[in-house]
Amino acid sequence: MYKIAKSKKELNDCFELRKEVFVDEQNVPQENEFDEYEDEATHIIVYDVNHRPIAAARYRSYQNKAKIERVVVVKDQRMHGIGRKLMQFIEEEAQKDGFKEAILNGQIQAQPFYESLGYHPQGEIFLEEAIEHIEMQKQL
């Protein structure tokens, strides 16, 4: 089930998934994972059939574009199309909010995934939390 996180529990599920993937797996300092945009962002949560949280992301307005951030899928659920469906859900919701373009800072290892969804790299590779990223964009 893909949905906008609205309750405190749903938001907490988003944050716990981000902590599991970014902080625990990728060693991003927890104080850097959570920022001043949490309240303004639209958070998305994905649950499996047993209501276990398995994926999350957020998007927010940035320079009149939907900036997609913090895209996570738990390790045992990767490579099953969940991330693809999550991105499609986000794009649909962003379009409903009036956005015509989406941007994201994708980790280099995920660049082929984002390209397969129609995102195009922009600019140079840069480091964010000691992980190589590249800005990518797509017309919605």
Side-chain angles (χ1 to χ4, degrees), residues 9-74:
K9 182 200 181 311
E10 291 166 346
L11 281 171
N12 189 56
D13 287 344
C14 290
F15 298 153
E16 287 299 315
L17 287 177
R18 286 169 45 191
K19 181 180 175 299
E20 178 181 333
V21 173
F22 293 126
V23 177
D24 298 342
E25 275 183 46
Q26 298 185 346
N27 299 312
V28 172
Q30 186 163 324
E31 61 272 15
N32 296 352
E33 172 54 28
F34 301 98
D35 62 21
E36 67 271 22
Y37 303 115
E38 303 299 349
D39 290 338
E40 73 182 63
T42 298
H43 297 267
I44 310 299
I45 186 71
V46 181
Y47 295 102
D48 69 9
V49 294
N50 297 315
H51 207 67
R52 172 185 159 223
I54 58 170
R58 73 178 191 188
Y59 70 92
R60 62 185 173 92
S61 180
Y62 178 77
Q63 299 178 348
N64 296 316
K65 301 170 188 169
K67 185 168 187 184
I68 301 170
E69 303 171 309
R70 309 309 205 265
V71 178
V72 297
V73 177
V74 295

Side-chain angles (χ1 to χ4, degrees), residues 98-115:
F99 292 106
K100 306 256 186 274
E101 188 174 352
I103 61 169
L104 57 85
N105 293 336
Q107 292 184 9
I108 289 300
Q109 52 91 9
Q111 183 176 346
F113 165 72
Y114 291 119
E115 287 177 337

Side-chain angles (χ1 to χ4, degrees), residues 72-91:
V72 297
V73 177
V74 295
K75 191 177 258 184
D76 69 339
Q77 295 296 309
R78 294 178 194 153
M79 307 306 287
H80 296 290
I82 293 164
R84 180 172 299 279
K85 289 179 189 164
L86 173 59
M87 290 297 294
Q88 291 166 344
F89 182 87
I90 293 166
E91 291 169 4

